[in-house]
Amino acid sequence: MKQNVKVALVKSGVGTLCLIMNILCGMFLYDRNAIVYYSAFCIFSIIAVAYCIVEPERFPHVSRTLLVAAVASAAIVGAYILFYTTGLDKKFNDFDSLKAFIVDSGYWGFAVFIGLTVFQVVVLPLPAALTIVLGVAIYGPTVSFVLSTIGTIIGSIISFMLGKVFGRRLCNWMFGAEQTEKYAKLLNEKGRFLFIIMLLFPAFPDDMLCMVAGITDMSYLYFTVVCTLTRPVMIGLTAYLGSGVIPFEGWGIPVWIALGCLLVAAFIVLTGVKARIENRRKVRK
């Protein structure tokens, strides 16, 4: 009995969410972008009907996928509406205007900045350094580091979830089939260790890798742990480098040398760990 009530409540919640999003799309997107409006309307309508029809007991995987799709679609469309209705689309071309917008948000400034970082990771093809430096200009390096880390990890998990739910088609559409195939093949062939290396060094497209990782067999737990441990590294370096707190002269020189040595040491340790894991696998075989 309790299970039936729970299922009914969840179905009602998903239906209500889809209805609210369709109303918001009609209010804010109909005159602005008809293609996005009709696409969003169809997506939410299909999800609402499908989730109400599907029986969770018989098709648990389909039910969970539809639930995640409903939440993810609502988050993306909601961010899209917020992005354009607040005028952020114009402010993104002006550093000072964007800075003023966040500062004028008052107590909500932290939430706005985190939301901006999430949006940058998931949707916008912009370097993460831009939002990090923006945060440094407003809050200083330490607060920018904390807020950017929170937003980046949240955005990374959302990207990974989108890859899991919508698969290779979404990645092909956003990044191109060639790039998607290239990095998906690397992650599948070289294993999870390479993913750690890629996130630690700036030579790789971190945000794209998060979504591409979703189309591999990588688990949510492993992905979350790796992102939590690795992504703050480059964020911290960018925040303090962009702020000039650690100069490239005087006392700053040994600090930067020490940081470089730490990165090299981390790489050596990770390589050793990888070698031990491979040796153990060979012994077991």
Side-chain angles (χ1 to χ4, degrees), residues 269-285:
V269 170
L270 288 172
T271 303
V273 172
K274 180 189 177 185
R276 289 185 180 181
I277 293 173
E278 291 179 346
N279 290 333
R280 288 179 181 176
R281 287 177 178 175
K282 290 179 180 178
V283 171
R284 289 177 182 175
K285 291 180 180 179

Side-chain angles (χ1 to χ4, degrees), residues 44-240:
F44 287 118
S45 299
I46 291 171
I47 291 176
V49 174
Y51 193 79
C52 291
I53 293 176
V54 171
E55 298 179 12
E57 297 82 3
R58 294 183 59 188
F59 307 101
H61 180 70
V62 175
S63 179
R64 287 195 297 267
T65 300
L66 288 171
L67 178 59
V68 173
V71 176
S73 300
I76 294 173
V77 175
Y80 183 87
I81 292 173
L82 181 65
F83 183 67
Y84 283 100
T85 55
T86 57
L88 282 177
D89 58 320
K90 299 177 182 178
K91 295 180 185 294
F92 260 103
N93 297 321
D94 189 340
F95 184 89
D96 293 330
S97 297
L98 186 57
K99 177 181 175 181
F101 175 80
I102 296 175
V103 172
D104 292 342
S105 300
Y107 293 110
W108 290 98
F110 286 177
V112 171
F113 183 78
I114 291 175
L116 176 63
T117 304
V118 173
F119 196 69
Q120 175 265 318
V121 173
V122 179
V123 180
L124 292 177
L126 294 176
L130 293 179
T131 54
I132 297 171
V133 172
L134 174 65
V136 170
I138 299 173
Y139 301 115
T142 302
V143 176
S144 175
F145 166 72
V146 173
L147 297 179
S148 297
T149 298
I150 294 172
T152 299
I153 291 175
I154 293 174
S156 299
I157 294 174
I158 291 174
S159 293
F160 181 77
M161 180 180 66
L162 291 174
K164 284 291 186 187
V165 174
F166 297 104
R168 189 177 293 269
R169 289 184 178 180
L170 177 61
C171 293
N172 289 344
W173 177 69
M174 292 191 68
F175 313 118
E178 184 177 345
Q179 287 288 91
T180 299
E181 179 61 28
K182 172 185 174 181
Y183 287 106
K185 186 177 181 180
L186 280 174
L187 292 177
N188 283 322
E189 291 182 354
K190 303 297 182 180
R192 298 175 178 179
F193 177 78
L194 180 63
F195 184 63
I196 299 175
I197 299 300
M198 286 178 168
L199 292 186
L200 277 175
F201 293 92
F204 300 98
D206 296 351
D207 299 335
M208 183 179 77
L209 284 171
C210 292
M211 188 173 292
V212 173
I215 67 178
T216 67
D217 60 354
M218 190 179 298
S219 68
Y220 279 95
L221 177 60
Y222 180 83
F223 177 85
T224 303
V225 171
V226 169
C227 280
T228 303
L229 294 177
T230 58
R231 303 221 68 178
V233 175
M234 291 310 302
I235 294 173
L237 289 175
T238 304
Y240 287 98

